[in-house]
Amino acid sequence: MHDAEGRRAGGAADAVDGVVPRWVAEPASQEGVARTLTQAAADGHSVLVQGGGTKLGWGPRLETIDVLLRTGRLNEVVAHRHGDLTATMQAGTTLAATNERLGQYRQWLALDPPDSTRATVGGILATNDAGPRRHRHGAPRDLIIGMTLVRADGVTAQSGGIVVKNVAGYDVARLLTGSFGSLGVIVDATFKLAPLADASRTVVVELSDAPLVAAYATDLLSRGSTPAAIELATDPLRVILKFESLESVTAGQAEEAMALATSHGGVGQLLDADAQDQFWTGHERRVFAEEGTLLKAVVMPADLASSLSWLDEAAASRGLSYVLTGQAALSVLHLRLMGPAEQQAALVSAWRERLTLGRGSVVVRRASAELKALTDVWGPLGDTFEVMREVKRRFDPRATLNPGRGPGGL
Amino acid sequence: MTSEFIDELERRIGSEAVVRDQGELLTYESDGLVSHRSRPGVAVLPQTVEQVQAVVRACHEADVPFVARGQGTGLSGGALPHPEGVLIVMTRMNRVVEIDIPNERVTVEPGVMNLEVTRQVAPHGYYYAPDPSSQVICSIGGNLAENSGGAHCLKYGFTVHHVLGAEAVLPDGTLVHVGGAAVDTPGLDLLGVLVGSEGTLAVVTKVTLRLLRRPESVRTLLAAFDSTDDAGNAVSDVISAGIIPAAIEMMDRTTIRAAEAAVQPGFPDAEAVLIVELDGHQAEVAAQFEQIEAISAKNQGWGVQVARDDAQRGRIWMGRKAAFAAMGRVSPSYYVQDGVIPRSRLPEVLRRIRKLEQDSGLTIGNVFHAGDGNLHPLVCYDDAVDGQAELAEQVASEILSYCLDVGGSLTGEHGIGADKACHMPKMFTDDDLATMQRVRVAFDPKGLCNPDKLFPTPRLCGEVPGPYRAHPAEAAGLAERV
């Protein structure tokens, strides 16, 4: 039986992480989301929010699910104001569908996190997930300009607006970005967009060791090169550059990058248009689409080379293997780690010990139940954790919204 | 404010850091929004974070409100003192703590001037991107509180995009570290909400900023147009061509003439001028610059000036940045407004403003960040004429309602502060505001940290916002307005 909100009893097909939800709600409107949350609050039910479901394995292990709220029916591009370079999407719209629509005017939502055909705007915001071109365009928190959200008590609120420049009121939209659904359910979001580039070229540079990788990246950028992405990858160790601009500009910059590779003792390879799409898909899948633990580590840019060298040694000595990609200049690393869980836990804790709070972090994203039991998935959150806890308490006093899934287990 | 409380402050941080003289306290009675004045109960000038904590703790214990103030250049009364409260003046906390070029970071105390950051790192080929027009005399602490922008935020974003971490004293005196020096710090994005919270959540005592490399190439063009519609269409064409310039600024005839009278930048006498600046990789800038020139010509642009060197670029920008102060040459007083519209709605909003100009009989100059739709209409009036100040204020309010009618915002960069708190219900519902209040009480359950700002309160909204008058620093030629 469905009610107006598409609410029905959960079945085996709805299971998340092996847990069958008692109820599944698929509201088709903002009002429907509000009614679902009001009902859940009245029933004392907890609510788990699901977009594309690509990141439901992140965070702590689920015990029970009272209400699974799916955003899949909220899947419209509400407005594309192409003259203003902004667009508003409902939370359940996938990134791929969004960009297909925006592409009609040669614009895009400049985010390229993994799994764009399944990952939704709401899920990408909730996790502040970004990809290679974060180097040029920033993360979701940098691009969001407005949001409609429904609080745990069913009250709908807006933050920001539809203009790119706006300092009226607290930036609640930014606060919800990266909150892992712990503060409210995102119904729709407005972003500033970027124009699609005329041309694009990819250069893959193989280098023999981590210090060379760091030196090459620094040298390239100090010469005025302006890649849209400057990625790292291991096995083999390499730097991958994506240039996006006018045809003549990308050609010139790619050539400069190739020449510089040679002078750093590396081997550069220029990919043509078809080859590069395939390459980038493969680059993403190597970490995100295969089995293993998923870690996100952030280090200071000047520590990139030493971190990579340490990691190599630390993994080998514990009998672990890994595949790594990441944004070189930002020093954001994504690792897929394989090997015994207790050794993985030991590596995570050894890495955290190397890092000063605020100058680096290691977060366990996807992991086996065994590893999640052995390690704190978030690691230390510093002296603001009490404030975070207070924010959570004020937004969701009964802790019914995505319980335990917020940062630090909020 | 009891003298016992002031004595207590002196015991905690030393009498040399406490200003209790009523005459001296007058110095602090307003920020850049001089129409709002209020003498603080007492002012303190801490030099260390421990002193800031000691003051805030004392306030917390005694339930005394406090307001942090930087250089006092803000235009929304965000640093307006509380008559029964402590004004925490941060200007003595002005040390550059660390310049970390390999990591492209700098850590400063909040009293460091915006432009000083760039001065410090320029020899290394870096700069700090946010550039409010007052950057010579505005401090980083105030920039963080207001999420300051500037002419170049079209491409580079606002303060929130360039602050990575802040050390801050919570309203109960606890010292916390929000964000960090790394590009991401796990946890709720408290930094994202602290930046732009107008000093209502905490007192910031240290800030870590991201630096950018100086672009390889910068090119600046000025073009004149016979109508603001043509200029507006040129802006739209630039955006449609997929070009994101570092800046696109527009001035109308009134402000062009004022700027010309004040600083003689050599602008053509036209209905509108556009200033377009491109920066980045040399080949890209060169190619896009040609497109800009073609777009300008297509929209009947004339009198094109292309900056040949830094001196000429400086002259063009001087003309733009002097526009506000220059209005003093053509009008005894003026009210400066800060509203935002979706950029594509520029022509219709300008038409409404022109109609308002005719109907009210007051001259309205327009300067704006055309690329991002941030308008700064300047409503001219004469204080000596009975009722004109009130009329000017009504006109300025009316312009705000035009902005909201097309889906815009009450403020793009000056903030809500004391000035626009009563306008907030025009843009946000009670539920929106109540949701923001949940953030407020999470940080500041007692409501002592910069009270009566940002949120509408009956006490505040019984009062009427006043007209613009020149800030003392501005009048002295030390500051200009965006």
Side-chain angles (χ1 to χ4, degrees):
Chain A
M1 267 297 281
H2 290 243
D3 63 16
E5 270 56 88
R7 190 168 132 144
R8 58 176 170 80
D14 304 308
V16 177
D17 254 9
V19 181
V20 176
R22 290 169 66 186
W23 296 95
V24 175
E26 296 188 67
S29 67
Q30 172 184 311
E31 294 74 20
V33 174
R35 283 191 295 265
T36 301
L37 288 174
T38 305
Q39 181 69 50
D43 297 343
H45 284 163
S46 65
V47 178
L48 178 70
V49 190
Q50 177 183 356
T54 60
K55 303 174 203 49
L56 279 178
W58 295 12
R61 223 183 106 69
L62 293 163
E63 304 292 337
T64 58
I65 304 169
D66 292 338
V67 179
L68 178 68
L69 193 165
R70 288 190 178 139
T71 60
R73 289 166 74 194
L74 298 164
N75 58 0
E76 295 208 1
V77 175
V78 180
H80 180 196
R81 304 167 205 90
H82 53 89
D84 302 319
L85 267 176
T86 67
T88 304
M89 274 70 69
Q90 287 186 309
T93 318
T94 65
L95 181 61
T98 295
N99 279 331
E100 196 182 318
R101 169 80 184 273
L102 306 183
Q104 292 170 7
Y105 287 91
R106 297 209 47 75
Q107 295 176 359
W108 71 304
L109 173 56
L111 296 169
D112 57 356
D115 230 342
S116 66
T117 56
R118 292 170 61 216
T120 61
V121 164
I124 290 166
L125 275 173
T127 53
N128 195 32
D129 201 19
R133 282 174 284 179
R134 178 179 176 182
H135 173 76
R136 173 177 288 173
H137 298 283
R141 63 96 72 184
D142 300 311
L143 304 181
I144 183 144
I145 57 174
M147 181 185 282
T148 307
L149 62 107
V150 181
R151 294 192 321 227
D153 58 5
V155 170
T156 302
Q158 294 205 332
S159 163
I162 60 164
V163 287
V164 295
K165 195 173 184 186
N166 182 2
V167 295
Y170 289 159
D171 205 332
V172 175
R174 205 162 258 131
L175 181 65
L176 261 80
T177 303
S179 69
F180 286 75
S182 63
L183 301 181
V185 177
I186 300 166
V187 175
D188 63 49
T190 303
F191 295 89
K192 68 173 180 181
L193 308 176
L196 279 172
D198 286 1
S200 155
R201 277 193 173 60
T202 296
V203 173
V204 183
V205 179
E206 277 192 33
L207 293 148
S208 55
D209 63 25
L212 274 174
V213 163
Y216 175 74
T218 307
D219 202 6
L220 185 81
L221 295 174
S222 70
R223 285 158 189 261
S225 184
T226 53
I230 175 159
E231 283 282 292
L232 281 172
T234 58
D235 213 15
L237 190 60
R238 51 198 180 178
V239 174
I240 307 132
L241 302 156
K242 185 163 198 165
F243 295 101
E244 291 187 311
S245 181
L246 304 166
E247 175 65 33
S248 61
V249 176
T250 55
Q253 291 212 26
E255 258 172 51
E256 287 164 19
M258 297 276 286
L260 191 68
T262 313
S263 73
H264 279 260
V267 182
Q269 187 196 353
L270 177 65
L271 303 182
D272 67 25
D274 293 340
Q276 68 171 351
D277 286 351
Q278 213 174 0
F279 177 88
W280 284 104
T281 305
H283 176 75
E284 175 187 309
R285 296 187 62 84
R286 290 184 68 218
V287 166
F288 296 101
E290 307 282 336
E291 289 294 304
T293 302
L294 206 55
L295 301 184
K296 177 186 170 185
V298 183
V299 299
M300 294 300 290
D303 300 337
L304 180 63
S306 62
S307 300
L308 293 176
S309 304
W310 176 86
L311 178 65
D312 220 29
E313 175 69 39
S317 70
R318 289 176 176 83
L320 300 170
S321 62
Y322 69 93
V323 178
L324 177 149
T325 58
Q327 289 90 63
L330 299 171
S331 296
V332 175
L333 310 174
H334 299 287
L335 271 87
R336 186 163 56 84
L337 192 59
M338 292 140 295
E342 63 275 16
Q343 290 302 325
Q344 293 192 25
L347 181 132
V348 167
S349 95
W351 200 349
R352 284 178 181 158
E353 272 168 36
R354 279 175 52 85
L355 299 166
T356 313
L357 213 58
R359 297 179 67 84
S361 57
V362 181
V363 173
V364 180
R365 289 189 148 178
R366 184 186 69 202
S368 64
E370 193 186 358
L371 180 56
K372 283 179 183 175
L374 286 170
T375 186
D376 168 9
V377 297
W378 285 96
L381 297 190
D383 53 19
T384 53
F385 187 58
E386 275 310 310
V387 183
M388 294 178 198
R389 190 143 47 192
E390 199 53 28
V391 170
K392 167 73 176 177
R393 198 175 72 78
R394 298 288 180 172
F395 273 76
D396 180 17
R398 293 196 290 178
T400 54
L401 206 50
N402 272 12
R405 297 178 71 79
L410 290 176
Chain B
M1 168 85 31
T2 65
S3 62
E4 289 76 19
F5 181 73
I6 301 177
D7 294 344
E8 178 61 24
L9 288 178
E10 289 190 340
R11 266 192 298 281
R12 293 195 190 194
I13 64 167
S15 58
E16 69 286 350
V18 176
V19 178
R20 60 194 304 168
D21 177 82
Q22 292 297 305
E24 274 185 65
L25 287 173
L26 274 180
T27 316
Y28 303 111
E29 67 173 357
S30 77
D31 60 9
L33 185 77
V34 293
S35 55
H36 285 55
R37 289 168 194 271
S38 161
R39 189 175 359 202
V42 64
V44 295
L45 290 107
Q47 284 183 285
T48 66
V49 62
E50 290 78 17
Q51 286 181 320
V52 176
Q53 281 184 277
V55 169
V56 172
R57 260 193 222 112
C59 290
H60 183 72
E61 288 161 16
D63 287 335
V64 170
F66 55 92
V67 176
R69 171 189 162 111
Q71 284 292 317
T73 57
L75 292 169
S76 57
L80 180 71
H82 192 288
E84 292 301 318
V86 179
L87 186 72
I88 307 177
V89 182
M90 302 299 288
T91 48
R92 287 187 185 169
M93 291 189 64
N94 60 357
R95 284 157 289 226
V96 175
V97 179
E98 188 191 12
I99 297 173
D100 179 2
I101 295 300
N103 284 308
E104 305 181 336
R105 308 282 192 266
V106 61
T107 300
V108 298
E109 289 185 336
V112 170
M113 304 297 176
N114 172 296
L115 193 62
E116 182 61 19
V117 177
T118 291
R119 282 202 191 109
Q120 293 271 343
V121 300
H124 305 279
Y126 285 86
Y127 75 112
Y128 175 62
D131 63 338
S133 279
S134 55
Q135 66 182 152
V136 182
I137 57 152
C138 66
S139 58
I140 291 295
N143 288 180
L144 185 147
E146 301 297 324
N147 190 15
S148 300
H152 291 79
C153 51
L154 175 61
K155 181 170 176 182
Y156 293 104
F158 316 102
T159 301
V160 71
H161 299 110
H162 300 274
V163 172
L164 290 168
E167 178 191 82
V169 176
L170 295 177
D172 66 358
T174 311
L175 188 70
V176 294
H177 299 81
V178 192
V183 73
D184 282 333
T185 325
L188 294 180
D189 193 352
L190 298 182
L191 188 67
V193 76
L194 179 65
V195 176
S197 62
E198 306 194 13
T200 61
L201 300 180
V203 180
V204 168
T205 50
K206 211 182 276 177
V207 190
T208 298
L209 305 169
R210 190 167 75 98
L211 301 173
L212 297 186
R213 285 172 202 274
R214 278 256 170 243
E216 189 181 52
S217 170
V218 183
R219 298 199 72 182
T220 310
L221 168 145
L222 178 139
F225 295 86
D226 288 332
S227 75
T228 49
D229 278 8
D230 284 348
N233 289 336
V235 173
S236 296
D237 287 353
V238 170
I239 300 298
S240 304
I243 300 171
I244 305 284
I248 312 182
E249 302 284 302
M250 197 196 291
M251 295 167 67
D252 71 356
R253 183 181 284 281
T254 305
T255 52
I256 295 166
R257 285 186 174 167
E260 204 50 48
V263 295
Q264 297 86 43
F267 289 174
D269 190 26
E271 282 304 315
V273 297
L274 276 186
I275 300 167
V276 184
E277 189 159 283
L278 293 172
D279 70 10
H281 189 268
Q282 194 143 20
E284 184 173 65
V285 169
Q288 291 187 338
F289 202 78
E290 277 179 27
Q291 287 178 277
I292 301 272
E293 286 179 307
I295 288 168
S296 163
K298 182 191 143 213
N299 289 286
Q300 287 79 49
W302 55 273
V304 173
Q305 301 177 13
V306 178
R308 285 179 307 275
D309 49 28
D310 283 350
Q312 199 176 359
R313 176 174 312 111
R315 199 169 48 73
I316 291 175
W317 278 110
M318 178 184 67
R320 162 62 187 87
K321 290 185 178 181
F324 279 26
M327 288 304 283
R329 300 228 169 200
V330 296
S331 173
S333 300
Y334 60 96
Y335 191 104
V336 59
Q337 190 53 284
D338 169 43
V340 191
I341 56 169
R343 111 191 85 214
S344 60
R345 311 294 290 270
L346 197 60
E348 78 183 82
V349 173
L350 285 183
R351 272 193 290 276
R352 288 185 76 178
I353 293 177
R354 223 165 290 133
K355 172 94 169 40
L356 187 64
E357 187 174 25
Q358 286 157 10
D359 293 350
S360 68
L362 298 181
T363 301
I364 306 174
N366 278 296
V367 208
F368 25 79
H369 307 300
D372 47 32
N374 189 188
L375 311 182
H376 291 310
L378 304 154
V379 183
C380 301
Y381 66 95
D382 188 347
D383 248 338
V385 178
D386 227 20
Q388 264 207 1
E390 292 71 25
L391 179 62
E393 184 211 309
Q394 284 165 20
V395 165
S397 267
E398 184 71 13
I399 295 172
L400 269 194
S401 65
Y402 298 169
C403 294
L404 296 180
D405 285 348
V406 293
S409 171
L410 292 170
T411 170
E413 54 189 7
H414 294 175
I416 297 295
D419 191 33
K420 290 180 177 171
C422 300
H423 291 287
M424 285 289 271
K426 295 179 188 166
M427 183 166 166
F428 294 106
T429 66
D430 288 351
D431 287 340
D432 301 342
L433 293 170
T435 303
M436 292 179 198
Q437 278 285 2
R438 291 184 178 219
V439 178
R440 171 71 191 263
V441 294
F443 278 81
D444 181 20
K446 286 186 168 187
L448 297 175
C449 191
N450 208 9
D452 299 332
K453 309 289 168 63
L454 206 150
F455 293 103
T457 62
R459 195 185 79 75
L460 198 65
C461 300
E463 298 161 10
V464 187
Y468 169 81
R469 286 181 191 87
H471 182 261
E474 192 188 352
L478 290 170
E480 290 148 356
R481 276 146 210 277
V482 178

